[in-house]
Amino acid sequence: MHEIIVNLHMHTRYSDGYGSHEDIAAAACQSGLDAVIVTDHNVWVNGPEDYYKNGDRRVLLLVGEEIHDQARNPQKNHLLVLGAQRELAMYAHDPQLLLDSVTKAGGMAFIAHPVDPPAPSVRQDDISWVDWNVQGFTGLELWNGFSEYKTRIKSKLHAIYFAYFPRQIACGPLPETLRRWDELLTSGKKMVALGGSDAHALKLSLGPLRRTVFPYEFHFRAINTHIFVPRPLGEDAEADSAMILDALRQGHCFIGYDLPAPTRGFHLTAHGLERNALMGDELPSKGGVTFQIRLPMRAECVLLKDGKLLRTWHNRDLCTYNTTEPGVYRVEVYIYYLRRRRGWIFTNPVYVR
Ligand SMILES: [Zn+2]
Ligand SMILES: [Zn+2]
């Protein structure tokens, strides 16, 4: 399998972002990404999907959409729609109808920033997902860079501080989002987790101060989704796009916070009696299963089963674990960066049945 680095969930001038698709492609090339997925609010922009070149680098730009009901107040229930290749925002008023329409169009639906608390000091509402009784979503955005920023803003001063020192923000997915995800997983559902940046390249002006808050380049070096695909990216944008979306659908990916140190090279595999499995795959428990975890450098590695801590390894770059117990197994990795213990890697689960 080949590992590719993808940044997803971002906005252009077609909604409330400040850059163009070309700006995003240029920033993505500079940041060394393989692909980006642009998701403007309530508009599916048809046309810009393609490979973009910048010097000797290139990036594949895909277009999805972030849909929510604009008539709803506050505007909760944001859904990331990927691979539908058509406009679906007209179904936003009814989340179940929207999800059914995504399925019918052959697309995937991921709950965006499932938990997104209010930040009253900068007049930001709670825009969490609330309709948890709906059926048919592919997964959720486990780690959203912008929701985490909102949790850190206790005053206007905090908002400015973190805008100037964005490296201080990220510590990991919000605990309530992790709890929600584990709850869905242990109820027997397959639920793919993605990492999203929610990049806007916002312009902040405060008296004489003018600054682009969290430029695209910053996000593209931070919370990425690392996807395992069966062959390297080629020349055909359409075929490569289909391959990436298929790998996402299967959950063949992990979330890597690449800013403190690159997460490229991380691996979680499960080895059974008859076959092996990647993150996102199912494997029978019969005959036993061995997990192999390989880290790009020594760190704290945590194995969880059904949302509960099973084993922690400290300062290790290779970990193995044997089991015969059915369950949902996933891995979290933590490192120290800027004097704090921070989440570094969050994998999709291996489902041992
Ligand atoms: Zn949103
Ligand atoms: Zn967004």
Side-chain angles (χ1 to χ4, degrees), residues 21-255:
H21 291 90
E22 288 74 19
D23 295 335
I24 284 176
C29 282
Q30 271 185 2
S31 313
L33 293 176
D34 296 296
V36 285
I37 309 179
V38 181
T39 52
D40 272 305
H41 291 289
N42 300 305
V43 56
W44 178 62
V45 183
N46 189 7
E49 282 208 342
D50 209 345
Y51 272 107
Y52 289 72
K53 287 200 172 68
N54 194 303
D56 56 352
R57 293 188 177 163
R58 63 165 201 166
V59 69
L60 178 60
L61 185 146
L62 308 182
V63 181
E65 183 175 6
E66 182 176 20
I67 301 179
H68 72 277
D69 181 3
Q70 290 164 283
R72 192 186 195 289
N73 191 16
Q75 300 195 355
K76 295 173 189 259
N77 288 346
H78 291 206
L79 195 70
L80 293 172
V81 176
L82 310 183
Q85 303 307 96
R86 53 168 291 202
E87 183 57 75
L88 294 169
M90 57 284 202
Y91 303 118
H93 61 282
D94 180 341
Q96 188 60 62
L97 175 66
L98 173 60
L99 282 163
D100 294 344
S101 310
V102 173
T103 307
K104 216 168 124 191
M108 289 179 279
F110 296 88
I111 292 179
H113 43 80
V115 178
D116 194 295
S121 62
V122 288
R123 293 198 299 276
Q124 293 284 319
D125 288 327
D126 180 320
I127 50 163
S128 305
W129 184 271
V130 284
D131 283 343
W132 286 100
N133 52 345
V134 293
Q135 303 291 325
F137 50 96
T138 317
L140 45 78
E141 183 186 36
L142 187 71
W143 194 351
N144 174 298
F146 212 70
S147 310
E148 200 180 2
Y149 174 52
K150 279 176 77 185
T151 66
R152 303 291 215 97
I153 307 175
K154 308 295 178 214
S155 70
K156 276 211 174 76
L157 211 61
H158 283 96
I160 296 164
Y161 172 80
F162 286 116
Y164 274 84
F165 301 102
R167 290 169 176 262
Q168 300 282 354
I169 299 170
C171 284
L174 302 183
E176 178 63 12
T177 313
L178 276 168
R179 193 192 62 73
R180 279 273 180 197
W181 185 41
D182 282 328
E183 201 176 273
L184 289 163
L185 291 173
T186 47
S187 76
K189 286 194 171 70
K190 269 192 160 184
M191 204 51 61
V192 178
L194 306 178
S197 55
D198 216 344
H200 291 78
L202 289 176
K203 300 270 189 255
L204 177 86
S205 64
L206 201 87
L209 295 175
R210 296 248 184 299
R211 189 181 170 87
T212 296
V213 191
F214 316 127
Y216 294 120
E217 290 89 339
F218 170 77
H219 281 294
F220 295 172
R221 295 176 193 275
I223 302 165
N224 289 310
T225 302
H226 292 238
I227 305 178
F228 294 97
V229 288
R231 60 161 175 80
L233 298 177
E235 299 301 322
D236 182 342
E238 210 172 309
D240 289 352
S241 157
M243 176 172 74
I244 290 172
L245 294 175
D246 183 56
L248 274 180
R249 192 186 287 277
Q250 296 183 63
H252 290 166
C253 53
F254 69 87
I255 302 163

